[in-house]
Amino acid sequence: MAEPDTVLTEPPVSVAVPVPAPAGPEPGPRRPDHVAIIMDGNGRWAAGRRLPRVAGHRAGAQAVRRCIRAAIENNVRWLTLYAFSSENWRRPADEVTDLTALLRHYLRSEIAELHREGVRVRVIGEHERFGPEIRAELEAAERLTAANTRLTLIVALSYGARAEILQAARRIVAAAQAGTVQPDALDEAGFARYLSTDGIPDPDLVIRTSGECRLSNFLLWQSAYAELVFLDVLWPDFEAHHLAGAIDVFTRRERRYGARPG
Ligand code: IPE
Ligand code: IPE
Ligand code: MG
């Protein structure tokens, strides 16, 4: 019998050489990548100064600026700000008008600066309810800043978690009827893709100012395992040290996700 004329060789063997770990600081406690804030207390801030509520909202807009800067300084990668809830439409018409005007003013005065700072802007909620002009400005802001990577600022405008979950359920039913979704095969990650926060990691830390201890329909699905920190400061008085303090509290919490502590 003829010998085969090709010689089979062993595949090359790679030799693992131990690589020394690079010298550097010890990894510290885990810090939050995503901080979400319920910015509450503008009205009480104004009332305490015998000012109209709109003065509180204006001062609140200044606090938003400080907060974004502080988030960048603290290496927060995702910051969600609850600016207007789907239930806030129940407020008196003059307050809604003031808030809408303030939003328009904020967009015009801040977006260029946010872009310079490397902030990517994203909006969640039924923001089209603020009218075509604001809708166009918000969409322009999203487009302009889409490639920025330093911080993603998610602004929740006319946002309500129940409405969001209901909308997701409706879209899933429609997809199931069209045959593009198999309901039995849908898992939690698959469901979350139908939420307005698709592509955004769940918040690690949810902060509420003003001393109220409730979520007021904010990110109910996404905050399932968020750490909650309630601060006794009215939103217009919020300073960088409040964010740093809440992050410090977060780093001392033990997150268990239902498992036993290690
Ligand atoms: C938060 O401040 C701003 C919005 C909800 C738009 P509030 O206006 O709720 O202030 P308080 O709770 O009445 O003090
Ligand atoms: C939650 O605050 C909404 C925002 C901060 C945008 P609210 O002031 O509307 O909440 P409640 O009414 O006290 O629950
Ligand atoms: Mg309030």
Side-chain angles (χ1 to χ4, degrees):
M1 212 166 44
E3 287 285 312
D5 58 5
T6 51
V7 179
L8 293 175
T9 54
E10 291 289 316
V13 177
S14 63
V15 179
V17 179
V19 180
E26 287 284 300
R30 209 169 117 48
R31 296 174 65 80
D33 283 330
H34 184 174
V35 176
I37 306 185
I38 303 170
M39 309 182 290
D40 196 19
N42 296 352
R44 277 163 280 175
W45 184 92
R49 287 166 174 70
R50 299 182 191 283
L51 293 169
R53 288 181 70 87
V54 66
H57 295 313
R58 263 191 226 116
Q62 300 289 340
V64 168
R65 291 187 188 98
R66 293 194 294 274
C67 178
I68 294 169
R69 212 173 308 127
I72 292 172
E73 281 161 13
N74 282 279
N75 288 322
V76 170
R77 304 306 304 273
W78 308 82
L79 175 68
T80 300
L81 298 179
Y82 201 9
F84 194 95
S85 76
S86 43
E87 289 71 34
N88 287 149
W89 293 108
R90 296 178 188 152
R91 293 197 178 187
D94 60 341
E95 184 170 356
V96 171
T97 303
D98 286 341
L99 282 164
T100 307
L102 201 60
L103 173 61
R104 190 181 303 114
H105 176 77
Y106 185 88
L107 287 170
R108 292 192 180 151
S109 65
E110 296 303 308
I111 294 302
E113 174 64 15
L114 289 174
H115 184 43
R116 263 196 301 279
E117 293 277 338
V119 176
R120 173 169 67 152
V121 177
R122 191 163 152 182
V123 184
I124 58 172
E126 295 173 343
H127 61 276
E128 58 283 353
R129 289 183 68 180
F130 287 99
E133 199 188 339
I134 287 188
R135 178 193 190 152
E137 293 198 27
L138 288 168
E139 286 169 2
E142 285 183 323
R143 269 196 310 276
L144 173 73
T145 62
N148 293 342
T149 56
R150 203 163 170 203
L151 169 77
T152 299
L153 171 68
I154 301 130
V155 190
L157 280 170
S158 189
Y159 173 85
R162 286 186 171 182
E164 176 191 40
I165 293 168
L166 180 61
Q167 176 69 6
R170 286 199 184 112
R171 289 174 57 205
I172 290 165
V173 169
Q177 282 167 347
T180 53
V181 157
Q182 297 301 317
D184 293 342
L186 190 68
D187 59 10
E188 291 180 7
F191 188 95
R193 300 220 51 204
Y194 287 86
L195 298 171
S196 63
T197 47
D198 180 31
I200 300 172
D202 285 344
D204 301 294
L205 169 62
V206 172
I207 299 170
R208 183 175 187 142
T209 60
S210 90
E212 306 296 349
C213 300
R214 55 178 170 263
L215 291 175
S216 300
N217 205 9
F218 185 48
L219 298 179
L220 297 183
W221 170 285
Q222 299 86 342
S223 296
Y225 271 101
E227 294 296 328
L228 309 181
V229 172
F230 299 101
L231 297 179
D232 254 326
V233 60
L234 300 172
W235 177 250
D237 291 326
F238 189 88
E239 298 283 348
H241 72 85
H242 292 109
L243 181 68
I247 290 175
D248 194 48
V249 169
F250 172 90
T251 61
R252 285 183 275 114
R253 297 255 181 100
E254 183 185 35
R255 300 181 86 187
R256 296 184 186 165
Y257 302 98
R260 274 172 48 182

